[in-house]
Structure formats: C-alpha cells, structure tokens
Amino acid sequence: MKTWHFALLCCLMSVAALLGLNRPALGQESPRPPAAHSVSALYPIKHIVIIDKENRSFDNLFGQFPGADGARDAATSNGKIVGLGRTPDKQLLDIGHAGEAAVLAVDNGRMDQFDLLPGAIQNGKNIADSQYRQADIPNYWRYASTFTLDDHFFSTIMGPSFPNHLISVAATSGGVNDNPHGQLVHAWGCDGGPQSTVSGITPDGIRFVTHPCFNFKTLPDELQAAGISWKYYAPPQFAPGYVWSALDAIRHLRYSSLWKTNVPNDRTFVSDVQNGHLPSVSWLVTGNVSSDHPPASICVGEGWTVRMINAIMQSKYWKNTAIFLTWDDFGGFYDHVPPPRLDDISLGPRVPMIIISPYARSHFVDHRRYDFDSMLKFIEQNFGLAPLTQRDRTAASLAPSFDFSHSNLAPLVLKPRTCPRSDYTTSQGLSGTMVRVSERHGLHSVVLRINGSTLVTILFGPSYDLRDARGDHLAFPQLSVGDQLLTSATPDPQRALVYTAFSLLDQSVVPLQRQSAVVGSVDPGESFLEASIGRRTVIVDLSPRTTITLADGSTGTVEDLVGNEVVRLTGLLNTRNMTVIQLRSLVVVTGPKSRVTVSVAHSTVRPGTRQTISIVAPPGVRLTLSIAYAGGSRKRVVLTGGHSGHTTYSFTIPTGANSYRSQRAAVSLQSSAGAATSSFSVARATLEVFALHSTVSPGQRQSILLIGPKSASVRVQLLWPDGRYSSHDLRLDRRGAGSYSLTVPRMSGRPRSRTVDVQAILAEPTGDILAAARFELR
C-alpha cells in the first residue's frame, strides 16, 4: 500500500472519529452496515480468515516437525524423561485443561506435570504426554511444510477455550481465565442463562467471579466503524460448538442487528466464498465433531479444515488472502517450552499456528514469539485500525511470517482423508464404578470412576433410560456407590471429563422374582433384615411400600418375622454389596427351619473397638459362643438365652487378630436348640508383622512378613533368646507389603527361653508406630 494512501485513510478515519461516525453501537442499538466501498490495506492482503480449532499443543501436532523447536520426550511428575507416545486418532476422554490444570501442568516453567492432569491416563496409557506423527495428520503437515509454521506461538491465556476465544476478537478476556460454569447446554456467553458464572483474576491479582456477558470493545466494533466487512462464522444457538461463538459473550453485539447479519452459521462459509461474499476479516469455528477437540477424531477435524481452505484456494480470493490456522489452547497435551509470564493469567502453553497465503514465507519456520494478540496486531496494521488494549498494542505482529515482495505460492488443494465411519460418532462407551449420584433442579448427574482412577461426570436430562443388568427399569435412588455402570455418553466441550447421556445400565443390579431366602436376624426396630440366598448373606431393605405376607395369607409387619423362616423376595438385588433394594414383596413360605441364629453388628471392625453379636435362641437355653481369629487366638464364652429370645454379647477386638493372609474372624454358636455360624472381618492395623513359621530350628530359613503403608520404610528388630539383637531396614512395596528373610542363628550359652521376639518400627511425624510378633526355636 502506498504511503499517501495509508495517510489518507488515517486522516479520513480521524475525521470520522471527530464526527462520531465510527462510534460502535451499544445495547439494543443497530449499528450501520459498513460503507460499500473498497477498503485499502497496508499489505497486499485484502482478506484475513482466522480458523480457530480446538485443544492441541505445539508438541502434540508438530513436535517432530523438521526444523521446528519440538520435542519427542516429556518430563513427568516423578522426575523421569519418557518418550512421547502416539496420540490415538480418537481418544476415550478429554484431558483436563482448565485454568488450574494449565498452572499444574506448566509447574512454574518446569513443564513436568501434564501426566497429573485429570484424564491424562486413559486405558493405562499416558495420553497427555503423547503426540501425532506426520502419517497421522498428513494434510496439516503439508500446510506446515509448504507455508509458514510459527513454532513459538503461545496461547494468550493460561487456561482453556473461552478466554482465548475472547482474546481473538477483543485482545482481552476481561480478566477471566477459565470456562464458564452453571450455564445452559452449549452456551458460554450472554445465552448461558442467569446461573452462568466465570472466574478470573484482576490485574492486581484479586480473584473474582462474574457473569460471562461483557461489554468491552472488540475488533468487530473497530472494523464496523471503519467500514471494513467482517463475519464470525460459528454453529447456531445452542448447537454443539456454539460455546466457541465468542461474540455471544459481547452484550452489545449479541443484542444488536449485527448478530443476525454478521454471525452466520459456519456451514455458510464455503458458499459465501464460492458466491463472492467473503468479508475482509472473518473468524471460523465449527461443531464438536470437526473441531479437533478431544476426544473427537483428528482425521475428521483435519478433513473439515482442508475443505474450508480448499474453498478459498479454488476461489478468486486466494491471490490476496491470509489464513491464520491455529488452535485455541493446549488441551492438556504436553509442550516443552515454558510460556513467558506477562501477568497472572498469561501467557499460556504453545499452540500451533500455520500461516497460509500466497505471501507466506515458503517452507519456513518462524521462531519469533507470538500469541493470539499478534493476529489482531497484524489486522490492525493492515487496515489502519487503532489497538484495542495494551496487549495488542505491544504484541509482535505476524508480518515477519510473510514475504510481501512477491506472491510466489500457488494454491495447495488437498484431498481430505477417508476416515472410518466410527470417527463420526460423538458418543463414547464409558464403564466404571459409581462414586456419587446427585439431583439438581430435577436433573441428575452421576460421577463415575473409570480406569481405576479418572473421575468423569455424566449429566442426564429430564428424559432418561436407566436399567438393571437384565434390562428392567430402574430409578436413580436405586443406584449405590460402587455399582458397575455402563453408558454411551457424548463429551461436553464446555468442560473436560463431563458428558451427557440418555441411558445408563447398572450391571450390579439384577431383578429378584419370588426368590427363595432364609431370614436371618430380625430387629423389629430397624428397616432392614438379614437373609441368606443360597450360601450368600444379603441385607434386605424394607420400606413402607414393601408388602409382607405371612404364611397364613394375612398381611404382616416386620414384627411378625422371625429368624430362619423361608420367604420369597421380589425386588432388586445389588450383587456388588449384596443388598436387596426396592423390595416390593416378602412372602413367608414356612416357619423357622431352626431355633437358633447368630449375626454380627459390624461386617468390618478395627482392633481396639467394640463388636456386638446378636443371637436369636429360645429363652433360658445354654449358649456356647466361640470367636476364632485368623491370627490363631480364640475367645469362648457361655451365655444364657434371654427372655425375649434375643441375646447380645459385646466385646473388644484384640490386637494381632489377623494373619498375614486373612482378616476373617469366625463366629460359631452351639446349643441344645441348634447351632449357627457367622463371621466378620478385622481391619488391618497401620502396621502388622508376622513370622512365616511359628517354630523353626537354628540353621533354617525364617521370613518376617509385613503389611503397612504403601512404600513406607520399616525397621525390623529381632531379640534372640541369648540376648542378642539384630535389625534390618526395608521398604514396603506399592501394595504396602514387604518381607525379610534370614537364616536362624545358633544360640550361644544355655538360654532360658526359646522365644524370639520380633518388632517392626514405622517412624511417623507424630511418633513411632510399633507392631510385634514372635516365633519359637526348636
């Protein structure tokens, strides 16, 4: 552009500003359309298209690109260096990449905690520390090889999509550094609803929460005022991908006539290009499937990008167009370059930027530092616009990535790859154990633990299909913590590891239809009872809706039930915790099979705490109660049946009750009226020590076995009968187990005892924890 042209343009803009002609409309006002005249440009670029894709770091896409500052290895949180794995075309989960996740991964510039992000490990593989190869993204690679690849282009905000999309239109995020919460489905801005909020940090470091509907000036305002045509192509309201329609968060644009004229459906982009309606500046975002947003297919996303760029290259616009192909944030994927710190929320990790234009430097990798503000700086330079904020004022322009001395790059029309049909499905099969179910405003959410550690949230609308393992209908109150659940869910791009679903299968729940059972202990004051189905003991939940029918056909209550009656149960059985839920009917078939039952109050109890045994037996009968612990100790007590037929016995669980391999304690009851058995489990102490052999001869091998905290250091000391001490330090494994083997020495002199005392010592900040055992010498 000639100097006098540019000066004239600036003069005209100044006059217009003085006359108030360029003032952007606010509130409900309807801004005037751009003047229908040709707009001069500083560079031979008359059309700029920003294609903003989703959630990829530079090393994830181009870490192996020749000549670029890439990485093939990653630093991990345990101090190791690992090779970057191969990112699958379609992932199981998204990876956490919110503001706090970005801070965690960057770790003050150490770039070594990406493997700690939620969703980093999927199906046992470290997906966060992975990257694509050239064969996985051949067309993206062709663009980068043919045109200009900027390898030090950073996301502006240390966080996810929403703030970085705001930067791309306004050179500010309003201080926010995260995605909104509490919004309506597929809406982040003014359409998010009254409950929608977003968090941020002020320039002086104060954290705040606000409604994500702002009124700051944007680049579209400046373009409109200058008579420069523009459009923001995005999915329509509440469609998948609408969250990335950044101008929905700008109040004076969302509620003006420009919303209808200048924010069209992204599906109209190609036809606008083909029909000669491409504006001077345009932004282009698309829906979930084609966005490159994990866990969506990169094959499908790349194909969509190729079709958009092909449309430009095969049109009259190619000769004077610049395409900025970038990705909005790092998506939780590894990058090895520490982002420079400009303030409390920026910069964020590197993302790819490919500049595609006849004027782009051919086969060039630009190592200069850029960020999203650099795009706005270039547009403002090209069209003679004033900076919006201090960010774009001081940002480096993308101009050095161009060679404006001549246009030497021909269109590169590529063929989109043929992707598997499964790549186009948006739902994911998720299986795991239930952690929590909750209800809010009539809508349910289920927190599911998958792969043994990762937590995902499944959101259900008012219409859902919840079934048991045999296909019968369930309700959410019938789910239990720990149940094995299976669902087909669609990833929610608004939040990582959040999904929406309409169906759920509880594989832990099966129906019972007149299932035969034997009643165990019955406490009339409780709303449950014990029963046996075959050899399995179950807890039967009773509710006011449960119908109890006695053997004579009359209607009864829980007070009418006695131990050892044969009954038929109709309801649902949770096979994981062996609980009968939603018991619709209990029918008594016969009277008691035996006159004696025994049950325990607690299925698991700790040493030093109380356990209670309940006995149902005829009044006055002599009862012999025995408790045998796995560690070999026993307790025997004689009782007399109580007047009501119910007898209880409470006692304290001793230390050393367990063996190395078992925690079970057997309870047996003998009487002239019959016998009964039960059992319970004794919880492990913080540290337990055992001798493998109870007796051993000198010269033979003995092993000392330990159970304690995972990876803890423990000292084992042995006091021999002749007064000698020996000690050994060892570290328990990841399961908290360890062993120490030794050859038993011969004793000196004539020791009075043949007992060897074993002591294990675990040093803790609050004091040493001791455990003891002993064995005998032959």
Side-chain angles (χ1 to χ4, degrees), residues 445-527:
S445 64
V446 173
V447 177
L448 199 64
R449 187 182 299 278
I450 64 175
N451 296 332
S453 59
T454 303
L455 295 177
V456 301
T457 301
I458 315 295
L459 306 177
F460 294 87
S463 299
Y464 59 84
D465 186 22
L466 179 58
R467 295 179 181 267
D468 62 29
R470 296 184 184 175
D472 292 333
H473 286 284
L474 291 176
F476 278 103
Q478 293 156 4
L479 302 181
S480 300
V481 173
D483 283 4
Q484 190 69 27
L485 305 181
L486 177 65
T487 185
S488 178
T490 301
D492 185 348
Q494 301 176 98
R495 285 179 290 169
L497 306 178
V498 176
Y499 296 77
T500 57
F502 298 95
S503 63
L504 184 68
L505 179 67
D506 191 332
Q507 297 175 300
S508 300
V509 176
V510 298
L512 297 178
Q513 294 291 338
R514 296 179 58 80
Q515 173 68 52
S516 293
V518 178
V519 176
S521 62
V522 180
D523 188 340
E526 298 290 348
S527 60

Side-chain angles (χ1 to χ4, degrees), residues 345-425:
I345 61 174
S346 57
L347 293 171
R350 285 191 311 169
V351 294
M353 163 62 86
I354 307 174
I355 295 180
I356 302 171
S357 173
Y359 295 95
R361 294 186 182 275
S362 177
H363 312 293
F364 181 65
V365 177
D366 191 341
H367 302 302
R368 297 175 180 85
R369 193 192 86 187
Y370 302 114
D371 71 282
F372 292 130
D373 290 308
S374 301
M375 298 189 300
L376 278 70
K377 181 65 169 285
F378 179 85
I379 294 171
E380 291 158 355
Q381 285 180 333
N382 191 52
F383 294 114
L385 302 175
L388 290 162
T389 70
Q390 186 65 17
R391 287 185 181 276
D392 55 331
R393 182 186 304 276
T394 58
S397 169
L398 292 173
S401 290
F402 293 86
D403 179 3
F404 295 117
S405 62
H406 57 280
S407 172
N408 60 350
L409 294 182
L412 177 65
V413 178
L414 301 176
K415 181 179 179 181
R417 288 182 289 153
T418 300
C419 307
R421 182 175 299 178
S422 60
D423 278 1
Y424 294 89
T425 60

Side-chain angles (χ1 to χ4, degrees), residues 54-55 96-100 102 155 157-165 176-180 188 328-331 372 493-494:
E54 292 296 313
N55 296 35
H97 54 279
E100 67 273 13
S155 57
I157 304 300
M158 180 81 79
S161 298
F162 182 69
N164 282 302
H165 278 279
V176 303
N177 64 334
D178 216 336
N179 290 340
W188 269 347
D328 66 354
D329 68 70
F330 77 117
F372 292 130
Q494 301 176 98

Side-chain angles (χ1 to χ4, degrees), residues 9 306 337 439 536 596:
L9 175 63
V306 167
V337 177
E439 180 183 2
R536 300 178 298 179
V596 176

